[in-house]
Amino acid sequence: MVTKILKAPDGSPSDVERIKEESDYLRGTLKEVMLDRISAGIPDDDNRLMKHHGSYLQDDRDLRNERQKQKLEPAYQFMLRVRMPGGVSTPEQWLVMDDLSQKYGNGTLKLTTRETFQMHGILKWNMKKTIQTIHSALLDTIAACGDVNRNVMCTSNPYQSEIHSEVYEWSKTLSDDLLPRTRAYHEIWLDEERVAGTPDAEEVEPMYGPLYLPRKFKIGIAVPPSNDIDVFSQDLGFIAIVEDGKLIGFNVAIGGGMGMTHGDKATYPQLAKVIGFCRPEQMYDVAEKTITIQRDYGNRSVRKNARFKYTVDRLGLETVKEELENRLGWSLEEAKPYHFDHNGDRYGWVEGIEDKWHFTLFVEGGRVTDYEDYKLMTGLREIAKVHTGDFRLTANQNLIIGNVSSEKKDEINALIDQYGLTDGKHHSALRRSSMACVALPTCGLAMAEAERYLPSLLDKVEEIIDENGLRDEEITIRMTGCPNGCARHALGEIGFIGKAPGKYNMYLGAAFDGSRLSKMYRENIGEEDILSELRVLLSRYAKEREEGEHFGDFVIRAGIIKATTDGTNFHD
């Protein structure tokens, strides 16, 4: 029984809480403003609500100054994100997303770090047509953003292939069952008629309530030994426990999250902590009750401190566990043993079960487009036309052409060869272990480049790698344009967070398996200093490492970075 009296933080609700309260369950005036042709943008209140429908209003920052000089409004456009639990898409859905990106987007698709599609460059008057077409492909964008549970992740290509379908089904169940119940999405985008009458909050949103959550909530399911989804970065993580080839349940981890604010030590990345074990049929109950704890006790005054990790820290891990078990009406079992050995992808062809194969394709920065000398988008389009299996978007921004039958393997392999699609093995292992968020020009929060810059930086780092005989050594490297953590920078053995144009904070020392955070190494440095530091560090690593020692472990053992015992060492 919980003995501590729990309460949410004091303070006036933030303006976002007012917007949600006045929104009539996420409707606001979205239906009306999306019909307004006077401006390509929408009011800020509606943009806050738009997130719950899977979209943000952005503008092309490359054009911002010039348009300002011409006294024109910013080049407004929408980013649209699909809800696609586990990252699994049919070939038909792939073709729909490809077609939409050409018709209404900027001609590219972004494979996100949460295993889904993101499109950029959609104009306001094309949004409804885009969402309706996505719906016709049996996909949607509901709750892909906003103060609700987001896209549920699961391991893309586990060693125990037979477990994937089972874990994937659980990710779908969680994603569907934890959706908001309001019909606002269907009314605004799909022309559903609103039913007369005003039902009470318990009927409209029995779990979320009228104010939804204080901030976004993220769930992921990992299948050891692969931690590709970075389960400890999730608000709520489930770690699959397999015994004798059978899924018996999940260890439960709570309180992870990657975001922070520069200079504000009250904000920080955090690793989720394992609190127990549940059976598969108990997963939804655990997820729902955990979400209601955050609903009731999360910080609704200061959004920088509104994520579940701060609620766990403020109330105490044991108190939150006690409250969870009180709401469940039963106790979690003791956590089961498990082991992770990496958080990357396995590239190339991998044999599955029942005579099926999977090919993992390296997609730098997760950007699917046709380059001058690399027709990636065209090649994947042609594969989708003949593929009878599935596509799996990985948490590392790569793509698995999955469940390829033996009969189709030669045909698909021929297309892979024809279009030069690559598993990245001609690149360094460092590049294959890289991730970058979108950043400029579309992200309004970006302080520096990430996706557009990291490849050119890696060109220069690869020279250092080659000089030191490290081309085949996997070292995770991640870059974000701001500290919000979309590329999970705090879990990169080498991490960069944008501070200003051309300037980054450099972090070192995360664990290769995603179980330890990195720590600040150098602040506010540019490319010259980055390369100078890496030249020294990688040379030392090549000469001084122990057999099988990963770079993140080496920098701690060598005293370059100090680590605390619990791995939560991001700040000094």
Side-chain angles (χ1 to χ4, degrees):
M1 181 180 292
V2 176
T3 55
K4 184 176 180 179
I5 298 175
L6 305 182
K7 57 179 291 190
D10 295 328
S12 302
S14 73
D15 199 45
V16 178
E17 296 301 306
R18 172 194 62 78
I19 293 167
K20 288 184 287 187
E21 184 176 19
E22 296 174 357
S23 74
D24 189 17
Y25 295 99
L26 307 180
R27 292 174 176 85
T29 58
L30 274 172
K31 195 167 187 175
E32 295 76 22
V33 301
M34 293 305 289
L35 296 173
D36 177 14
R37 292 276 182 147
I38 294 175
S39 169
I42 61 175
D44 186 61
D45 280 14
D46 284 308
N47 190 35
R48 297 279 190 165
L49 297 178
M50 180 70 95
K51 295 178 182 181
H52 299 82
H53 300 257
S55 182
Y56 299 123
L57 176 67
Q58 302 177 326
D59 74 289
D60 189 331
R61 292 173 62 179
D62 287 348
L63 304 176
R64 190 180 283 178
N65 290 339
E66 183 58 33
R67 290 183 69 84
Q68 214 168 23
K69 287 178 189 173
Q70 296 179 27
K71 301 190 184 318
L72 298 171
E73 73 173 8
Y76 286 127
Q77 55 188 260
F78 286 87
M79 178 279 289
L80 189 62
R81 187 180 298 152
V82 174
R83 182 181 69 98
M84 198 164 68
V88 177
S89 157
T90 66
E92 293 77 16
Q93 289 168 338
W94 180 277
L95 289 170
V96 166
M97 295 304 300
D98 177 303
D99 184 57
L100 285 171
S101 74
Q102 309 302 321
K103 276 186 181 175
Y104 302 132
N106 64 2
T108 76
L109 286 173
K110 176 77 170 180
L111 311 184
T112 78
T113 57
R114 291 200 68 77
E115 302 180 323
T116 191
F117 294 112
Q118 198 162 280
M119 280 198 301
H120 295 265
I122 307 171
L123 299 179
K124 175 178 168 180
W125 26 89
N126 292 328
M127 278 289 288
K128 189 169 183 178
K129 289 179 283 190
T130 302
I131 291 176
Q132 288 184 341
T133 305
I134 289 171
H135 177 75
S136 70
L138 304 182
L139 293 171
D140 60 59
T141 68
I142 304 170
C145 318
D147 296 345
V148 288
N149 178 60
R150 303 275 186 97
N151 197 52
V152 177
M153 302 172 72
C154 81
T155 290
S156 301
N157 193 358
Y159 291 87
Q160 305 96 327
S161 296
E162 67 276 10
I163 299 298
H164 179 267
S165 60
E166 193 171 356
V167 172
Y168 167 58
E169 289 301 326
W170 283 113
S171 73
K172 283 204 304 181
T173 297
L174 282 179
S175 181
D176 292 343
D177 290 352
L178 297 172
L179 281 176
R181 297 295 179 228
T182 174
R183 302 303 294 178
Y185 178 91
H186 303 80
E187 294 167 16
I188 294 167
W189 309 110
L190 306 178
D191 294 325
E192 178 180 281
E193 291 293 328
R194 186 170 186 180
V195 177
T198 308
D200 61 22
E202 287 69 28
E203 183 178 345
V204 174
E205 295 291 6
M207 179 180 70
Y208 287 113
L211 297 179
Y212 298 87
L213 297 181
R215 282 292 298 275
K216 58 190 173 185
F217 195 91
K218 297 179 176 181
I219 296 176
I221 311 172
V223 183
S226 175
N227 187 21
D228 58 337
I229 65 145
D230 280 326
V231 70
F232 301 113
S233 72
Q234 313 288 335
D235 293 272
L236 174 60
F238 291 101
I239 301 167
I241 304 299
V242 179
E243 291 184 1
D244 300 323
K246 302 291 184 185
L247 178 69
I248 65 164
F250 301 89
N251 283 349
V252 179
I254 63 171
M258 293 290 99
M260 57 171 283
T261 301
H262 283 311
D264 183 355
K265 291 196 174 183
T267 67
Y268 44 84
Q270 180 91 303
L271 294 179
K273 296 176 178 64
V274 175
I275 59 170
F277 170 87
C278 72
R279 302 291 167 182
E281 63 274 12
Q282 297 172 323
M283 277 183 86
Y284 171 73
D285 210 10
V286 169
E288 180 199 34
K289 298 304 188 295
T290 303
I291 286 171
T292 63
I293 292 172
Q294 170 64 349
R295 177 198 67 196
D296 294 342
Y297 302 118
N299 192 331
R300 293 185 182 272
S301 297
V302 183
R303 283 184 67 82
K304 288 180 181 179
N305 287 101
R307 289 291 299 275
F308 185 48
K309 61 184 175 182
Y310 301 119
T311 305
V312 172
D313 285 357
R314 178 170 47 82
L315 299 178
L317 184 68
E318 287 304 314
T319 300
V320 173
K321 179 185 177 184
E322 204 175 329
E323 174 70 5
L324 173 60
E325 292 177 338
N326 185 56
R327 294 184 182 211
L328 289 169
W330 47 269
S331 297
L332 296 170
E333 299 176 43
E334 289 295 316
K336 309 287 186 186
Y338 66 94
H339 168 72
F340 290 125
D341 57 24
H342 68 97
N343 61 356
D345 293 331
R346 295 181 293 158
Y347 292 101
W349 284 107
V350 175
E351 187 172 6
I353 59 169
E354 298 178 353
D355 207 23
K356 297 293 177 65
W357 294 79
H358 312 291
F359 183 85
T360 302
L361 182 73
F362 173 61
V363 182
E364 189 157 29
R367 183 65 61 181
V368 177
T369 187
D370 277 347
Y371 302 91
E372 186 176 341
D373 57 349
Y374 184 42
K375 303 302 181 185
L376 172 62
M377 196 165 206
T378 299
L380 288 172
R381 185 182 306 132
E382 294 307 310
I383 287 172
K385 290 176 182 177
V386 301
H387 184 30
T388 55
D390 56 41
F391 289 102
R392 300 177 189 175
L393 283 59
T394 83
N396 291 293
Q397 302 180 311
N398 296 311
L399 180 67
I400 299 171
I401 305 168
N403 281 312
V404 178
S405 66
S406 292
E407 295 78 16
K408 284 284 184 181
K409 188 183 175 195
D410 287 346
E411 184 179 5
I412 287 178
N413 209 35
L415 287 167
I416 288 171
D417 291 341
Q418 178 182 339
Y419 289 96
L421 306 187
T422 176
D423 56 13
K425 289 181 180 175
H426 63 286
H427 293 308
S428 68
L430 176 74
R431 189 181 294 265
R432 293 196 305 269
S433 302
S434 66
M435 278 207 297
C437 70
V438 173
L440 297 167
T442 52
C443 179
L445 300 175
M447 302 173 183
E449 296 279 3
E451 182 191 323
R452 295 196 297 192
Y453 171 57
L454 184 58
S456 63
L457 176 65
L458 288 175
D459 288 341
K460 296 165 185 172
V461 178
E462 280 178 332
E463 295 177 13
I464 301 171
I465 290 287
D466 289 342
E467 288 168 9
N468 289 281
L470 296 172
R471 191 167 187 83
D472 296 324
E473 290 299 320
E474 292 183 332
I475 302 171
T476 54
I477 182 167
R478 297 175 178 181
M479 177 176 281
T480 58
C482 82
N484 281 286
C486 293
R488 302 192 294 276
H489 52 72
L491 287 169
E493 292 177 284
I494 302 171
F496 297 100
I497 302 179
K499 193 80 183 288
K503 298 290 185 180
Y504 300 86
N505 289 350
M506 181 176 177
Y507 295 80
L508 300 174
F512 187 71
D513 66 356
S515 63
R516 181 182 63 240
L517 295 173
S518 60
K519 191 173 183 180
M520 174 88 80
Y521 176 66
R522 292 287 184 266
E523 189 172 6
N524 203 32
I525 60 175
E527 184 176 284
E528 184 178 347
D529 288 332
I530 288 170
L531 294 174
S532 176
E533 293 289 354
L534 287 176
R535 191 172 298 278
V536 173
L537 291 166
L538 292 169
S539 175
R540 284 193 61 184
Y541 176 56
K543 294 170 184 172
E544 301 172 24
R545 61 185 166 148
E546 296 177 350
E547 185 176 355
E549 185 174 33
H550 290 292
F551 181 76
D553 297 331
F554 165 75
V555 296
I556 292 171
R557 182 182 62 79
I560 297 164
I561 288 290
K562 294 179 182 177
T564 54
T565 54
D566 66 357
T568 54
N569 61 326
F570 201 79
H571 288 309
D572 288 321

